[in-house]
Amino acid sequence: MAQLAYQRQGSMDKAAASELNEAAVEMARASDDDQALCEALNLRCAALSGPGLGERRVRDADELLRVSSSGGLTEIGLFAYRWRLHSALETGDMETADRELAAYDAAVDRDRVWSGRWYGLTVRAARAMAEGRFGSAERMVMESFAHRGNDTTPLVIGTFAAQLFWLRREQGRASEVQHLRKHDSPHVAFRVLQMMIDAELGHADRAREALQAAVEAEVVGLSVDYTYLYVLSALAETAVMVEDDGCARVLYERMLPYAGDYVNLFLGPLQLGSASRYLGRLALTFGEPGMAGYHFAHALDANRATGSHLWLAHTRLDWATALSGQGHAARVEARELLRPCLAESRERGLKRIARQAAELLDALRD
């Protein structure tokens, strides 16, 4: 029943899905079957996505950990740490996220679940990338893939593909991973990677066609699960790159309730900063620079608070871009944003952002 509720999230209203999840958990409790209860709680954690649901997910994760520990169900018990970590990342609570990741690694070592080591490495790689430490991020991405053992499930392979693309994109080396476009996965979180690669490499028409089809056919029926915000953010990036204002408006409305959240994929292997930045980029795409500025202001504070130097630099550049087409006062403000953006990008080796910031700063000189 829990699996049915999870699978049908995109085709039924949230209240009905919630009732089905509740019934599945209560049925598992009544059966006195620890394995069934753990599976039902794990699936309900996956289904609990949306503003204000993080605390509920943590409570379910706490119960999952208690039941799995008492029943000796070590592997499914590891998901409790992942859900608590995901909830912390979603709200930008990096101190709690670090604590949960350390607890996860300790549990993997204690219970000798060596196959679980790859996950911890992927999360650390994501943090390194968000902080602008590309060399460390690349090393850990490759190391995590080596730790996968014989696991060639779509989740493991797809996570590696997504991490490698976003990293190479920031390094200005996206052409090196164009082969990832051939990666086949049933999950929309990875299919959206294909259109992003097309857009990044200049195949705008093909990317736009795929984007419009996805927005029309999938966004309305997309499962509102733990991948939802990432998928919307990746679609948003594609809409910005191909300058599709119609898709940008649809995606903006879908993302707006998540303005205060942080974007991450599959419980942490990609950490893409404040959702407000993507809202700002969408607003700029459909011609609302004032609205974009409002979101960029929030994203600036949010990304600074989490030490996400990469996304902080991006936000400064985005906001400066929004201001650059306005009056004299706005252009002065744009230059004030670009100076620290350029300085920090050069200091941290964020070459792609540094180049773009320098070009825009030159264009704004009176």
Side-chain angles (χ1 to χ4, degrees):
M1 186 180 291
Q3 186 69 50
L4 176 63
Y6 179 69
Q7 290 176 343
R8 293 185 61 194
Q9 284 182 97
S11 59
M12 64 197 305
D13 64 69
K14 292 188 72 171
S18 178
E19 288 179 8
L20 200 54
N21 270 308
E22 291 288 343
V25 171
E26 292 308 315
M27 185 180 296
R29 284 200 182 102
S31 71
D32 201 28
D33 183 334
D34 286 347
Q35 181 72 44
L37 179 54
C38 285
E39 290 175 358
L41 287 167
N42 191 40
L43 284 168
R44 189 161 71 178
C45 284
L48 286 169
S49 178
L53 293 177
E55 290 184 6
R56 174 72 180 278
R57 188 193 301 121
V58 169
R59 289 199 298 272
D60 278 356
D62 289 345
E63 183 178 0
L64 170 58
L65 185 58
R66 288 195 302 271
V67 176
S68 62
S69 297
S70 64
L73 304 170
T74 55
E75 291 201 29
I76 197 168
L78 290 176
F79 278 95
Y81 299 105
R82 295 187 188 186
W83 290 122
R84 297 196 307 200
L85 173 59
H86 173 69
S87 297
L89 290 173
E90 199 173 57
T91 59
D93 184 352
M94 307 312 288
E95 183 177 347
T96 298
D98 288 343
R99 187 167 60 247
E100 293 298 341
L101 182 56
Y104 173 87
D105 286 342
V108 166
D109 290 341
R110 181 192 66 231
D111 298 326
R112 299 177 180 273
V113 188
W114 309 130
S115 61
R117 281 186 169 174
W118 76 274
Y119 169 75
L121 285 165
T122 64
V123 175
R124 287 187 167 82
R127 174 70 73 84
M129 178 179 159
E131 292 176 351
R133 297 183 288 113
F134 293 162
S136 296
E138 182 169 351
R139 175 179 56 78
M140 285 185 278
V141 166
M142 298 305 177
E143 189 177 348
S144 69
F145 192 63
H147 269 285
R148 81 193 192 285
N150 295 321
D151 191 344
T152 57
T153 58
L155 172 63
V156 173
I157 303 300
T159 297
F160 174 72
Q163 283 193 311
L164 196 57
F165 166 73
W166 283 87
L167 178 60
R168 290 289 185 254
R169 183 187 188 215
E170 292 302 326
Q171 293 172 319
R173 298 163 55 188
S175 61
E176 296 178 17
V177 293
Q178 57 184 311
H179 63 281
L180 295 178
R181 191 184 177 282
K182 300 177 182 178
H183 173 69
D184 189 26
S185 172
H187 200 292
V188 66
F190 299 126
R191 292 202 303 276
V192 73
L193 192 66
Q194 297 170 331
M195 66 184 77
M196 282 194 70
I197 292 172
D198 278 340
E200 187 68 29
L201 297 182
H203 305 300
D205 290 342
R206 188 163 64 192
R208 187 179 297 107
E209 182 179 354
L211 170 70
Q212 291 172 351
V215 169
E216 180 179 351
E218 295 195 58
V219 169
V220 174
L222 193 62
S223 292
V224 184
D225 64 5
Y226 63 105
T227 66
Y228 184 69
L229 184 54
Y230 168 79
V231 171
L232 291 180
S233 301
L235 289 170
E237 281 294 277
T238 306
V240 170
M241 285 190 283
V242 302
E243 300 179 339
D244 191 312
D245 61 339
C247 287
R249 287 183 182 276
V250 173
L251 292 165
Y252 179 89
E253 293 300 323
R254 292 282 173 168
M255 285 192 70
L256 189 57
Y258 297 85
D261 286 353
Y262 292 80
V263 182
N264 70 92
L265 171 64
F266 284 132
L267 289 66
L270 272 175
Q271 298 166 30
L272 303 180
S274 169
S276 283
R277 174 178 171 254
Y278 301 91
L279 284 163
R281 284 168 63 76
L282 288 169
L284 194 58
T285 299
F286 58 72
E288 292 287 351
M291 187 185 298
Y294 170 81
H295 290 299
F296 290 143
H298 176 82
L300 199 70
D301 290 338
N303 287 327
R304 184 186 291 114
T306 56
S308 299
H309 301 292
L310 171 62
W311 307 118
L312 177 61
H314 266 301
T315 305
R316 284 181 170 135
L317 178 60
D318 291 333
W319 198 357
T321 301
L323 292 166
S324 65
Q326 301 179 46
H328 175 73
R331 290 164 65 87
V332 170
E333 188 177 354
R335 289 197 292 269
E336 291 304 309
L337 285 163
L338 287 169
R339 290 189 183 101
C341 174
L342 181 58
E344 186 167 349
S345 296
R346 284 174 171 168
E347 179 185 349
R348 296 184 179 278
L350 309 179
K351 296 179 181 179
R352 182 171 180 250
I353 300 175
R355 174 179 53 78
Q356 293 171 337
E359 290 173 356
L360 183 54
L361 192 57
D362 284 342
L364 289 172
R365 295 189 191 281
D366 292 330

